[in-house]
Amino acid sequence: MYSFYVFEGSFHQGGGGWEDIEVSSSLSEIKEAAVDYIRLGNWADSRDDFVVRVYQEGKLAVEEDLYPFLQVKVSGLTTISFEGNGKPRGGVPEPGSEYEEGWREYEEDQTEYELEDRREWVEFFLIHGFAETATESPGDIEVTIDWPRLALPELTQPVLPEGKGVFVRQGERGERGERWKDAVAVEGEIGPDDDPEELFEERGRYFTYGYNSMFL
């Protein structure tokens, strides 16, 4: 079985959600996918998954939450960092920035809610302003991930070649998504009308090399 990297950017809520998955034997492609996921506005809430995984010869060897290694800088705001659960910190409007008016509106809105229901400014911005900024001014968003501190291992041979697919076994969905397990190579093609779980008689997902996107 092959070795490969996986980037997952996903959001699960109730019975729905969406997933952006990049499967590659190139770490540089995984890094690019993770940065694009943020800069293109797919992420705008602290409840999603932002994860990198390393499979060595089909075995899940490493699974790391990227949030503790992530910093986001939007022009006009202080740097946004994240706790391990994705909860953001920082992102306060800088003096004279275009976000000062939004800050004032945010403070006024907070007077309408009880203290325990109040949302911190940065979460308010991420939900109400980040996606708009990503659409209109993506160049204003700087994304930094501390990959050296992550120290992901190099892949052992053989690595997953382009054009190949993999079936990843998965357990029951937990609080922050589904628990990923080992993977098997798929030598033939799986058509759009085929059910991979029926073909493999096991719960899991089929991914092709490269970008995979799905709504749940």
Side-chain angles (χ1 to χ4, degrees):
M1 177 49 191
Y2 301 108
S3 301
F4 55 93
Y5 298 107
V6 176
F7 164 72
E8 176 189 2
S10 63
F11 180 83
H12 302 97
Q13 186 173 31
W18 45 263
E19 297 176 342
D20 283 351
I21 307 291
E22 184 79 18
V23 176
S24 179
S25 57
S26 166
L27 185 54
S28 63
E29 291 179 354
I30 294 297
K31 292 178 178 180
E32 183 179 355
V35 170
D36 286 346
Y37 179 72
I38 301 295
R39 291 189 71 249
L40 296 179
N42 295 317
W43 162 82
D45 196 295
S46 62
R47 293 173 294 176
D48 66 345
D49 288 304
F50 189 55
V51 180
V52 64
R53 298 181 178 91
V54 182
Y55 277 82
Q56 301 284 32
E57 300 177 47
K59 304 293 184 181
L60 179 59
V62 176
E63 182 175 50
E64 287 281 0
D65 182 358
L66 290 175
Y67 274 122
F69 304 90
L70 171 68
Q71 288 190 336
V72 178
K73 181 68 173 71
V74 178
S75 179
L77 300 177
T78 61
T79 299
I80 303 170
S81 59
F82 300 82
E83 297 178 3
N85 61 359
K87 188 175 181 60
R89 288 285 183 267
V92 177
E94 296 174 335
S97 79
E98 61 183 292
Y99 298 107
E100 284 192 313
E101 182 178 351
W103 171 268
R104 288 191 294 270
E105 293 176 356
Y106 158 78
E107 289 188 315
E108 292 173 359
D109 288 343
Q110 299 315 291
T111 62
E112 301 177 7
Y113 303 101
E114 297 295 330
L115 182 61
E116 60 268 19
D117 294 328
R118 293 181 182 178
R119 179 179 290 120
E120 294 186 23
W121 153 259
V122 65
E123 293 183 272
F124 177 88
F125 167 75
L126 292 177
I127 293 172
H128 293 88
F130 185 83
E132 180 179 350
T133 303
T135 300
E136 297 181 356
S137 307
D140 290 345
I141 301 172
E142 298 178 14
V143 180
T144 302
I145 299 173
D146 193 348
W147 296 104
R149 186 159 63 94
L150 268 164
L152 297 177
E154 294 186 4
L155 297 179
T156 58
Q157 295 293 330
V159 299
L160 183 70
E162 293 187 31
K164 291 289 186 179
V166 292
F167 179 79
V168 178
R169 298 183 175 95
Q170 295 180 315
E172 294 297 325
R173 182 176 298 170
E175 185 178 354
R176 286 183 59 75
E178 294 184 325
R179 186 165 56 90
W180 288 47
K181 298 182 179 180
D182 296 340
V184 295
V186 179
E187 300 302 331
E189 293 186 2
I190 294 182
D193 296 326
D194 294 328
D195 185 346
E197 293 188 355
E198 289 186 1
L199 294 176
F200 288 87
E201 298 182 347
E202 192 168 357
R203 180 181 176 87
R205 296 275 171 79
Y206 168 70
F207 301 113
T208 58
Y209 188 107
Y211 178 67
N212 298 261
S213 182
M214 62 195 72
F215 288 95
L216 306 177

